[in-house]
Amino acid sequence: MRVSTLGFQTEATQQMQTLDAEISQTQSDLSTGISLQNAADNPAAMSEVNNLDAQISASQQYQTNGTTLNSNLEIEEQSLSDATTTMQSARDLAVQSNDASLTSAQRQNIATQLSSLLSQLVSTANSTDTDGNYVFGGETNTSIPFSQNGSSVSYNGSNSVSQVQISPNQRVSSSDSGASVFMNIPGGNGTFTTAVGASNTGTASIDTGTVTDAADWVPDTYTITFTDPTDYTVTNTAGTTVASGTYTSPGTIAFDGISTTISGTPAAGDTFTVAPAGTASAFSTISNLITTLNNPDATSAQISSEVGTTLEQMDAAVSNFSNVSASVGARINSITAANTTATASQTAMTTQVTNLQDTDYAAATTQLSTEELALQAAQESYASIAKLSLFNYLQS
Amino acid sequence: MADLLNTSVTGLLAFQNALNVTSNNVANASTPGYSVESPNFTAEPGESTGVGYYGTGVDVSTVTRSYSELLAGQMRTSQSSYSNFNTYATTASQVDDMLSDTTTGLNAQLQTFSNSLQTLADSPTTTASGTAVISAAQSLAQSVQSYSSQLSQTEQNVEGQIGSNVQQINTLATTIANLNTQIATGGSTNNTLLDQRDEAIDTLSQYVSVNTATDSSGSMDVFIGNGQSLVSGDTAQTLTTIPSEYNPTENDVALTTAGSATPLDITSSISGGSLGGLLSVRSQVINPTINSLGQISVGIASVVNQQQAAGLTQSGTAGQPLFAVGAPQVSPSTSNTGSATVSATVSDVSSLTADNYVLANNGGTWQLTDQSTDQSVAMGGTGTAADPFTAAGVSIVVNGTANSGDTFLVQPTAAAAAGFSVQLTSGKQIASASAVQSAAATTNTGTGTIAAATVTDPTNANLMASTSIVFSSPTTYQINGTGTTYTYTPGSAITANGWTTSISGTPATGDSFTVSSNVGNTSDNTNLFAMIDGLSSNSLDGGTTSLTGAASSLISQVGSQTQQAQSNASAQQAVNTSATDAVNNLSGVNLDEEAANMVKYQQAYQACAQLITASTTMFNTLISAVSTTA
């Protein structure tokens, strides 16, 4: 087979250039540490790397979200704890005040202490979080949510709360609205409230009552009227008599699935009301008691009934704080769990990216020595072969 | 006369010529396209004598070159293929390089933007977080615009290269025609001219695929691409570049024909070689990438802007569009004769594609064809402003009168990326809150709960008006107290005034729910989550592709095309090397062979010279024998 001189040289040069190019590529892989430099190197791997990088970035963002939220939730938990302590102190005072032997001045003293606890509760309800926003303001948390006017406290915040995303598929509430924590606490015993008629002259008091059969309860305001100290009728707002009977102290009056106990001696014309439980705010629970204790004309019976209702409502408030606190605790746990999962998955994804993208130094170094050897061999062989020519040996 | 002297002299002259040929070969050992020449020795005719025929010496009758048209043809074919793939791969890898950056690429920027929305959602009233969203949006826009301008630059480079390739082809064509003339008029055995012509055709094969045909006079006709005649005898056609039918910045290849002012567009017949590669990479990589990038930009802008409109900013006003994006382009054909103008707007983002479309008037009826697949596309509507044509995600309006045969190129997304920019400057302009809120009345006694209301039509005039849903019974309700009584199904949608919500559970008679304005709830982040969810939802391709999915897909598509072209180029290079070797092995000069020939002819020359000396000696002997010594 015939080989042309020019052809031999061209081909040898081309081969050396190819080896040069390969060495250059390997060197680039080694010095940058990345072997997947272009999508052309491995389109499917590049696509996966992009995808993983995006997930890692999103995961880190969720962790940041969770950290901020965690601090805020811990502040909320602390506030709820403070509110519970305040409410329990108030409860102790309420129990104290249910003493028929107290003088008017002593009752007013208790009322003053309750006032200061009320202000403390308002202050707790207006706490702020790490961003300077109000913890219990709902979605209008840049303006102060609770305002106190004398002994009445109103809520100016919103009833909705926003959410924070702590993991790819979890969004949790960022706080609780003041309405759900402090304002809309179920009143009375949860179904109905009882009250002593304001103009009663007798000494009878009424307890908070119980529900015997919820299905039979017809929500309405009922009036228990004593026609004389031993006979009563129960009428609803339409004027219909739903029950009647005789009374001895203590006596249970039952109708429409509920029962309540009256003790003491009612006078003729005395009334007691049974009304559907609305919601009561934690504040009005305290301020109602303050009003009653400050009234010099309040009778022991009225005070006793008021305290009964107050204690029930205070317990309901503390129970509500406790429920909210439990949900806050659960959210804090979710954040911790999401954080752990995120850290683990980020590690896994980063490893995957490294596998797809990074240079395998051991393999690349070996490849480099192989290519260098090939290039050296090509260069040396070319140098020795190119010198050979018959012309060298022809003597004239 | 057959005698010693004359015969030896013929030998001398013959070997002298042979040495000339050898020295020519050696001198041209490195000349590209040179075919090794060999002298053909022919014995002189014998002379008849009484005792038989005596030979009268030798003559170098011709000098032939070693050349194979077949091998040359194979080399040209592989040369064109290699050049084609190589050019394609080089240009495609520029686009691939641009898209392949994982740290600042499109996917990374989209994620950063989404992250900035998340941070704002953590505390919508924090000014710094709002500013960060605008910054991230601007980064995203800059990234898209940078891609767009780089693609534009690459496109311009390609156009420039097309122009210079065409010029090279023209120069070579002229050279070949000239050589044809010289060869036909008596130079048919002129090896130098033949080599030059073959060399010119070899070079031509780098630019475009060639086929040749030799005619009886020795002229070689050259055909390029899919059989387009370039050189015919002594006439060379001239190629030129003309602006393409729809886009004056794009060059098509055309043939100037004598006697016609309009060049003939032959772009579709060009294939192979670097020119073929450039035309392919333009239509298969650059233009589709521009369109796909545009499609993604329209997707981003549409999702974000729609959500802006559905929400409220910190100051309680409706959000304004955050992104601007380039509008669809419609270009009339340069050969249109009617007076119609056509415009298009995006009407359905999820139906957009990365293709261009041709709108043609055929005898009064308008038809739409996909330019890359040549498939016809059904259109809805009639083309008027009140009832536009709808197809492929755009609405097309035709004004004026078109003549039959008029065509327009509709490019829905080609200009989108170049025009992708951020229109808002303050973080406070981000519509973080939902426009409406829903609530159950605190006096409700049933167990009904109402879901968050979502805005479906921000333009509804009563969107922010307070609307009540009151239950007249546990299974029926009225909206705003009067009118229709609706039957309640838990969980099913309730729509009014541009919003939609749903109620679940068991409401009691008299329970009421309100949907009202959300102004004032400055920390509401519902709209931000809607934006975040929209960005990750499948908003493109009929609900099958997400924005990041489309970006990823674009990157792998270009990557695959580049990888394939590179591997094809590599394979073709091997084929080309082998074909070139075959040609070289036949036609190339081997110095060792020439050295051996030189020795051979030298010895033969010396031998002939010796014979002449012998003849002289014999003549001297004879003369001295017959001269008298008196």
Side-chain angles (χ1 to χ4, degrees), chain A residues 1-7 9 11 14 37-43 46-47 49-51 53-54 57-58 61-62 64-65 68 131 133 138-142 158-160 162-165 171 184 357 388-391 394, chain B residues 26 29-31 36 96-97 100 102 107 111 115 118-119 121-123 125 437 442 520-525 529 533 552 555-556 559-560 562-563 566 573 577 581 584-593 595-596 598-599:
Chain A
M1 191 185 94
R2 202 173 157 275
V3 176
S4 79
T5 311
L6 179 61
Q9 286 169 346
E11 204 175 316
Q14 201 175 314
Q37 302 203 4
N38 289 338
D41 296 337
N42 188 342
M46 180 61 90
S47 185
V49 166
N50 277 337
N51 197 16
D53 279 345
S57 173
Q61 178 67 39
Y62 299 140
T64 309
N65 291 352
T68 313
D131 295 313
N133 296 326
E139 288 180 335
T140 55
N141 56 6
T142 48
S158 83
N159 295 347
S160 48
S162 54
Q163 301 208 298
V164 170
Q165 185 153 6
R171 287 184 186 158
N184 300 337
Q357 177 177 290
L388 299 174
S389 174
L390 187 51
F391 279 106
L394 293 176
Chain B
V26 170
S30 302
T31 308
V36 69
D96 178 47
D97 273 349
S100 289
T102 50
N107 282 357
Q111 189 56 45
N115 285 354
Q118 283 279 357
T119 307
D122 286 349
S123 175
T125 52
Q437 58 171 320
T442 46
N521 280 348
T522 49
S523 292
D524 180 34
N525 60 12
F529 279 123
D533 289 344
S552 256
I555 297 169
S556 350
S560 291
T562 309
Q563 186 187 53
Q566 284 171 343
Q573 190 174 35
T577 306
D581 277 353
N584 281 342
N585 290 351
L586 178 67
S587 313
V589 173
N590 184 311
L591 288 175
D592 291 342
E593 190 186 40
M598 186 187 82
V599 167

Side-chain angles (χ1 to χ4, degrees), chain A residues 29-216:
Chain A
D29 287 355
L30 282 168
S31 60
T32 59
I34 307 280
S35 73
L36 182 66
Q37 302 203 4
N38 289 338
D41 296 337
N42 188 342
M46 180 61 90
S47 185
E48 211 182 317
V49 166
N50 277 337
N51 197 16
L52 288 167
D53 279 345
Q55 284 182 47
I56 292 170
S57 173
S59 179
Q60 288 168 340
Q61 178 67 39
Y62 299 140
Q63 280 184 311
T64 309
N65 291 352
T67 307
T68 313
L69 181 60
N70 199 45
S71 313
N72 289 345
L73 287 175
E74 283 176 351
I75 293 176
E76 187 183 340
E77 245 188 350
Q78 184 57 48
S79 303
L80 289 167
S81 168
D82 292 344
T84 306
T85 311
T86 307
M87 198 53 106
Q88 279 168 342
S89 307
R91 193 183 194 284
D92 291 343
L93 287 172
V95 168
Q96 260 184 48
S97 73
N98 190 17
D99 184 348
S101 65
L102 289 177
T103 64
S104 177
Q106 286 169 317
R107 288 198 208 115
Q108 283 182 352
N109 187 1
I110 293 175
T112 309
Q113 291 179 60
L114 284 170
S115 269
S116 115
L117 285 174
L118 178 63
S119 301
Q120 199 175 314
L121 189 61
V122 172
S123 171
T124 304
N126 282 334
S127 339
T128 53
D129 66 15
T130 56
D131 295 313
N133 296 326
Y134 291 99
V135 176
F136 296 108
E139 288 180 335
T140 55
N141 56 6
T142 48
S143 49
I144 195 161
F146 291 98
S147 49
Q148 182 173 12
N149 196 351
S151 60
S152 96
V153 177
S154 55
Y155 177 63
N156 315 312
S158 83
N159 295 347
S160 48
V161 291
S162 54
Q163 301 208 298
V164 170
Q165 185 153 6
I166 58 170
S167 85
N169 38 32
Q170 267 177 301
R171 287 184 186 158
V172 298
S173 297
S174 60
S175 65
D176 298 277
S177 77
S180 64
V181 177
F182 294 100
M183 302 302 287
N184 300 337
I185 301 174
N189 58 18
T191 307
F192 62 90
T193 55
T194 57
V196 174
S199 52
N200 284 6
T201 49
T203 59
S205 61
I206 186 170
D207 78 351
T208 53
T210 51
V211 175
T212 50
D213 190 345
D216 287 341

Side-chain angles (χ1 to χ4, degrees), chain B residues 367-455:
Chain B
Q367 288 168 342
L368 193 71
T369 319
D370 183 321
Q371 198 187 32
S372 9
T373 61
D374 271 343
Q375 302 270 2
S376 117
V377 177
M379 293 195 291
T382 55
T384 60
D387 182 26
F389 287 126
T390 51
V394 287
S395 292
I396 304 171
V397 175
V398 180
N399 288 316
T401 338
N403 290 340
S404 179
D406 282 357
T407 57
F408 296 84
L409 183 68
V410 180
Q411 294 174 293
T413 57
F420 187 69
S421 62
V422 175
Q423 292 196 304
L424 301 179
T425 50
S426 159
K428 293 199 197 303
Q429 293 169 297
I430 304 292
S432 45
S434 168
V436 287
Q437 58 171 320
S438 61
T442 46
T443 51
N444 285 358
T445 50
T447 59
T449 53
I450 186 166
T454 52
V455 176

Side-chain angles (χ1 to χ4, degrees), chain B residues 321-338:
Chain B
L322 177 60
F323 290 110
V325 74
Q329 287 192 319
V330 180
S331 321
S333 164
T334 46
S335 57
N336 281 357
T337 54

Side-chain angles (χ1 to χ4, degrees), chain B residues 169-505:
Chain B
I169 292 174
N170 284 341
T171 312
L172 288 165
T174 316
T175 310
I176 295 168
N178 285 344
L179 287 167
N180 271 344
T181 318
Q182 290 177 46
I183 290 168
T185 54
S188 57
T189 51
N190 183 334
N191 292 330
T192 314
L193 291 179
L194 292 170
D195 277 347
Q196 282 177 359
R197 184 176 65 184
D198 288 323
E199 179 61 19
I201 298 174
D202 287 350
T203 313
L204 183 63
S205 74
Q206 286 176 12
Y207 296 107
V208 67
S209 63
V210 295
N211 281 304
T212 57
T214 319
D215 71 16
S216 52
S217 66
S219 277
M220 194 167 262
D221 295 339
V222 177
F223 304 92
I224 58 171
N226 299 348
Q228 176 65 45
S229 167
L230 182 68
V231 176
S232 183
D234 57 359
T235 323
Q237 307 275 16
T238 312
L239 295 183
T240 178
T241 54
I242 55 168
S244 85
E245 188 182 1
Y246 299 106
N247 183 356
T249 59
E250 223 174 69
N251 286 333
D252 276 356
V253 179
L255 204 60
T256 48
T257 45
S260 165
T262 331
L264 177 68
D265 191 323
I266 57 163
T267 311
S268 51
S269 348
I270 302 288
S271 64
S274 57
L275 186 58
L278 288 166
L279 292 171
S280 303
V281 82
R282 182 174 73 182
S283 66
Q284 291 174 13
V285 177
I286 299 179
N287 284 338
T289 303
I290 292 174
N291 281 4
S292 289
L293 190 62
Q295 188 189 9
I296 295 168
S297 308
V298 174
I300 298 171
S302 155
V303 164
V304 173
N305 290 350
Q306 261 183 19
Q307 219 45 60
Q308 277 284 104
L312 299 175
T313 64
Q314 286 295 297
S315 48
T317 52
Q320 297 301 307
L322 177 60
F323 290 110
V325 74
Q329 287 192 319
V330 180
S331 321
S333 164
T334 46
S335 57
N336 281 357
T337 54
S339 63
T341 53
V342 179
S343 63
T345 49
V346 173
S347 58
D348 179 10
V349 171
S350 120
S351 303
L352 284 174
T353 65
D355 291 345
N356 294 332
Y357 299 88
V358 177
L359 182 69
N361 185 310
N362 289 331
T365 341
W366 290 98
Q367 288 168 342
L368 193 71
T369 319
D370 183 321
Q371 198 187 32
S372 9
T373 61
D374 271 343
Q375 302 270 2
S376 117
V377 177
M379 293 195 291
T382 55
T384 60
D387 182 26
F389 287 126
T390 51
V394 287
S395 292
I396 304 171
V397 175
V398 180
N399 288 316
T401 338
N403 290 340
S404 179
D406 282 357
T407 57
F408 296 84
L409 183 68
V410 180
Q411 294 174 293
T413 57
F420 187 69
S421 62
V422 175
Q423 292 196 304
L424 301 179
T425 50
S426 159
K428 293 199 197 303
Q429 293 169 297
I430 304 292
S432 45
S434 168
V436 287
Q437 58 171 320
S438 61
T442 46
T443 51
N444 285 358
T445 50
T447 59
T449 53
I450 186 166
T454 52
V455 176
T456 50
D457 178 13
T459 61
N460 189 305
N462 292 326
L463 182 67
M464 314 273 268
S466 183
T467 309
S468 63
I469 301 169
V470 182
F471 280 78
S472 42
S473 83
T475 54
T476 56
Y477 61 88
Q478 288 181 313
I479 296 183
N480 277 342
T482 55
T484 329
T485 301
Y486 300 90
T487 314
Y488 167 62
T489 317
S492 67
I494 299 172
T495 309
N497 293 343
W499 46 258
T500 183
T501 179
S502 68
I503 297 178
S504 333

